[in-house]
Amino acid sequence: MKKALTAQELYLDKVKRTNDKVRFWRVFLFVIFIAVWELCARYEIINSFIFSSPVKVIRCFHRLLLYEGLAAHIGITLFETLASFFLVIIVSLIAAILLWKSRTLSRILEPYMVMLNSLPKSALAPLLIVWLGANYKTIILTGMSVAVFGSVMNLYTGFTEVDAEKIRLIYTLNGTNKDALYKVILPANIPNLFSIMKVNIGLCLVGVIIGEFIAARKGLGYLIIYGSQVFKMDWVILSILILCVIAMGLWLLLDHMEKLYKKMI
């Protein structure tokens, strides 16, 4: 005789079945896309010279990895992305704290932050390269420029939306601004910080690629530009696919860190 399931067990079973269904359809759609792509290229429904094919991309990956230093190109793009990402987080935290401490300063700088955040970063990249030279430091700054202004604004907004009663309680107990910051403001904004980081990792990658388009001699952005110039479309598509994998991998890493944090609290 089967034991009757409780409401909690039924709910957990439903969640498990939903998660299994989501994973299945993700894999299924990916496999279908690859199969359709390969068949269309093989039967000349699409031009395989322009659109490539999964088999050609795999062969290109093997060839570039062995003879063209693909690992070095991936490494430099990943390094520049992570460097710009961590610098954006540090600068954003410092700037948001300064704006929170001085409401006058925040009112003065707010229109400039909005203006800089709205500025097309692809227009800023050539100026940075002319001013600072074509090197990896400039590319890192280009990656930062895409994310930092929006990050500061979002983080500062999160600081100002913390429950005022909790901050007032700190001051009632003879606490200082430092106590309010470390015991209320920052802990309350950790979920917000994770959300900002998830957005920033993709933006930093975009900024780095923009910089590599213009000035790099290494990196996936360079491979994309060089491949398009000499009509090596396999190089272009392979580089784009690798960028997709990098972006997804970094996002999943941050998502895993967020879940670990939620389990700890």
Side-chain angles (χ1 to χ4, degrees), residues 119-179:
L119 179 70
K121 306 310 182 294
S122 56
L124 187 60
L127 287 176
L128 291 175
I129 290 167
V130 170
W131 291 341
L132 304 175
N135 52 63
Y136 74 93
K137 295 178 183 178
T138 306
I139 295 174
I140 290 173
L141 284 176
T142 304
M144 289 181 62
S145 69
V146 174
V148 68
F149 303 113
S151 181
V152 171
M153 293 174 62
N154 290 331
L155 202 53
Y156 170 67
T157 300
F159 283 9
T160 59
E161 291 178 350
V162 172
D163 189 354
E165 294 297 325
K166 293 181 180 180
I167 299 175
R168 191 173 294 114
L169 178 62
I170 292 290
Y171 293 144
T172 302
L173 298 173
N174 296 322
T176 62
N177 281 341
K178 183 178 179 181
D179 295 322

Side-chain angles (χ1 to χ4, degrees), residues 47-105:
N47 189 332
S48 62
F49 176 77
I50 297 175
F51 295 99
S52 191
S53 70
V55 171
K56 291 179 69 175
V57 168
I58 292 171
R59 290 172 180 169
C60 178
F61 174 78
H62 182 260
R63 186 170 61 254
L64 290 182
L65 193 63
L66 291 180
Y67 306 112
E68 300 291 343
L70 179 60
H73 289 289
I74 296 173
I76 191 65
T77 297
L78 190 58
F79 165 74
E80 290 165 348
T81 300
L82 291 176
S84 62
F85 171 74
F86 285 118
L87 287 172
V88 164
I89 297 303
I90 293 170
V91 171
S92 298
L93 280 171
I94 294 173
I97 290 170
L98 292 175
L99 293 174
W100 173 78
K101 284 188 173 182
S102 175
R103 297 302 171 91
T104 302
L105 180 64

Side-chain angles (χ1 to χ4, degrees), residues 194-212:
F194 273 113
S195 298
I196 292 171
M197 288 166 64
K198 286 181 178 181
V199 175
N200 283 349
I201 194 65
L203 292 177
C204 289
L205 182 58
V206 169
V208 164
I209 295 303
I210 290 173
E212 289 182 347

Side-chain angles (χ1 to χ4, degrees), residues 10-50:
L10 288 172
Y11 172 76
L12 292 175
D13 182 64
K14 182 180 178 181
V15 170
K16 182 178 182 301
R17 284 188 281 109
T18 301
N19 291 337
D20 291 341
K21 185 185 296 184
V22 169
R23 282 191 289 267
F24 168 79
W25 280 105
R26 283 175 177 175
V27 175
F28 178 77
L29 290 175
F30 177 75
V31 171
I32 289 296
F33 170 75
I34 295 298
V36 170
W37 182 15
E38 178 64 33
L39 290 173
C40 288
R42 187 164 297 183
Y43 290 100
E44 299 183 353
I45 299 173
I46 60 175
N47 189 332
S48 62
F49 176 77
I50 297 175

Side-chain angles (χ1 to χ4, degrees), residues 252-265:
L252 288 174
L253 178 61
L254 290 172
D255 186 61
H256 181 66
M257 291 172 61
E258 183 180 18
K259 289 177 180 177
L260 287 178
Y261 167 76
K262 288 180 178 178
K263 289 181 180 179
M264 293 172 58
I265 59 176

